Amino acid sequence: MTAGVEGLATWPPAAVATVVAAALAVGLTAVAGLVGGLWAVLRWRRDVAREERDRAWSRFVWTVDQACDGDVGRAEVGFASADVMYDMQILREGDAVLGTMVLGLITGRESE
C-alpha cells in the first residue's frame, strides 16, 4: 500500500467502505464507552449521597427516639447523642434546618 490519497484511490470501493465503517465503529464505541463511564460515575455519586443522607437521618431518628423515651437512662443517652449531633452537623442542605431546630429543642441550645 502506498501512503496518501493516491494509494487510497487505487483501493476497491468495498475496501474503502470497510475501512471507513471500521473507523466509525471504533469512534462510536469510544464515545459510547466514555458516556457509559460518565453515567456510571454520576450514578455512583448520587447513590453514595443518598446512602449518606439515609444513614444521617436514621441516626437522627434514633437520637430523637431515645431522647423522647420515658426511660431515664435512654433519655440521657438520647440527650447526649443530640448534644453531640448538634455540634457535628451531620445533616446537610435542607435537612439541616429542620434537624438543627429539633436538636436545639432537645438540647436547649439555640442555633447560631
Side-chain angles (χ1 to χ4, degrees), residues 43-111:
R43 255 189 92 121
W44 173 76
R45 289 186 60 171
R46 186 181 65 202
D47 291 345
V48 167
R50 185 182 314 126
E51 289 172 8
E52 287 176 355
R53 182 175 186 254
D54 289 346
R55 274 188 255 123
W57 269 109
S58 67
R59 290 179 189 127
F60 176 79
V61 169
W62 182 88
T63 297
V64 172
D65 283 345
Q66 295 299 316
C68 296
D69 200 304
D71 182 29
V72 174
R74 286 186 181 197
E76 287 180 4
V77 168
F79 289 131
S81 177
D83 195 39
V84 169
M85 196 176 247
Y86 186 89
D87 291 334
M88 289 176 57
Q89 300 177 357
I90 64 169
L91 299 174
R92 303 280 184 238
E93 298 169 6
D95 299 338
V97 175
L98 177 65
T100 304
M101 183 178 65
V102 171
L103 292 173
L105 289 171
I106 292 172
T107 60
R109 296 164 63 177
E110 292 183 23
S111 63

